[in-house]
């Protein structure tokens, strides 16, 4: 597993910089950020829950995000889950940077207060396509009219904003064959 940690002026990153370098190795489908306070896992799975970065055309892609508060303190996210995850979580881009979009909308959200409890994980998952076997976790609901991704190479990138000084930028690449 390739783990990239970049710390500069309060910014952090967990990423795969070059799409083609590691896209053929499914064991690199999970990207991890970890410091003394937080651990962030961002990874893709197929509908069976197997981690992968390579999908067959028409196969559903499930985006997964886990945030672990490693501290002994409860962390209050004053702006709620929308401050923490923003509007770009699980957003997909083509290899050349074209914004493909997201497959979800916010449903029932914790807008006023949201907590990361000590030594506990918060976990979210969301498929690209709506499926009776796989549906998004709260607060996500599926958008109408989402189209299958065509064959090609893609990436997903977004920021997690825990507070003004703790911003974790995650990026993961995947391929549809």
């Amino acid at each position: 597993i390739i783990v990239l940690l970049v710390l500069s002026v309060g910014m952090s990153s967990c990423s795969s910089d070059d799409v083609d370098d590691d896209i053929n190795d499914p064991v690199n489908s999970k990207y991890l950020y970890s410091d003394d306070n937080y651990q962030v896992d961002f990874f893709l799975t197929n509908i069976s829950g197997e981690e992968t970065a390579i999908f067959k055309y028409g196969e559903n892609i499930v985006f997964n995000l886990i945030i672990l508060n490693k501290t002994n303190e409860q962390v209050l996210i004053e702006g709620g889950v929308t401050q923490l995850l923003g509007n770009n979580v699980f957003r997909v881009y083509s290899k050349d940077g074209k914004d493909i979009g997201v497959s979800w909308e916010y449903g029932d959200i914790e807008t006023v207060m949201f907590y990361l409890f000590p030594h506990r994980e918060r976990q979210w998952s969301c498929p690209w396509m709506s499926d009776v076997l796989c549906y998004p976790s709260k607060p996500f609901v599926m958008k109408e009219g989402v189209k299958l991704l065509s064959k090609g190479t893609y990436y997903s990138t977004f920021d997690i904003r825990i507070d003004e000084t703790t911003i974790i930028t995650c990026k993961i690449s995947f391929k549809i064959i």
Side-chain angles (χ1 to χ4, degrees), residues 97-114:
K98 180 182 176 197
D99 185 351
I100 306 300
V102 294
S103 65
W104 59 269
E105 298 173 323
Y106 279 120
D108 180 27
I109 57 175
E110 301 168 54
T111 56
V112 178
M113 288 190 274
F114 180 84

Side-chain angles (χ1 to χ4, degrees), residues 55-137:
F55 299 88
K56 293 179 184 167
Y57 176 75
E59 182 179 17
N60 210 345
I61 301 164
V62 182
F63 297 86
N64 299 277
L65 177 64
I66 301 171
I67 301 175
L68 170 65
N69 176 1
K70 297 178 1 181
T71 71
N72 292 324
E73 302 295 322
Q74 178 173 287
V75 177
L76 170 64
I77 310 296
E78 291 184 21
V81 73
T82 55
Q83 175 188 314
L84 179 69
L85 301 179
N87 292 314
N88 291 315
V89 66
F90 309 144
R91 183 172 293 277
V92 172
Y93 300 88
S94 66
K95 182 179 180 178
D96 62 2
K98 180 182 176 197
D99 185 351
I100 306 300
V102 294
S103 65
W104 59 269
E105 298 173 323
Y106 279 120
D108 180 27
I109 57 175
E110 301 168 54
T111 56
V112 178
M113 288 190 274
F114 180 84
Y115 290 97
L116 294 174
F117 296 104
H119 304 285
R120 306 248 340 245
E121 294 179 344
R122 293 297 295 246
Q123 184 170 348
W124 299 271
S125 64
C126 188
W128 180 253
M129 300 292 294
S130 182
D131 189 309
V132 295
L133 298 176
C134 184
Y135 49 89
S137 58

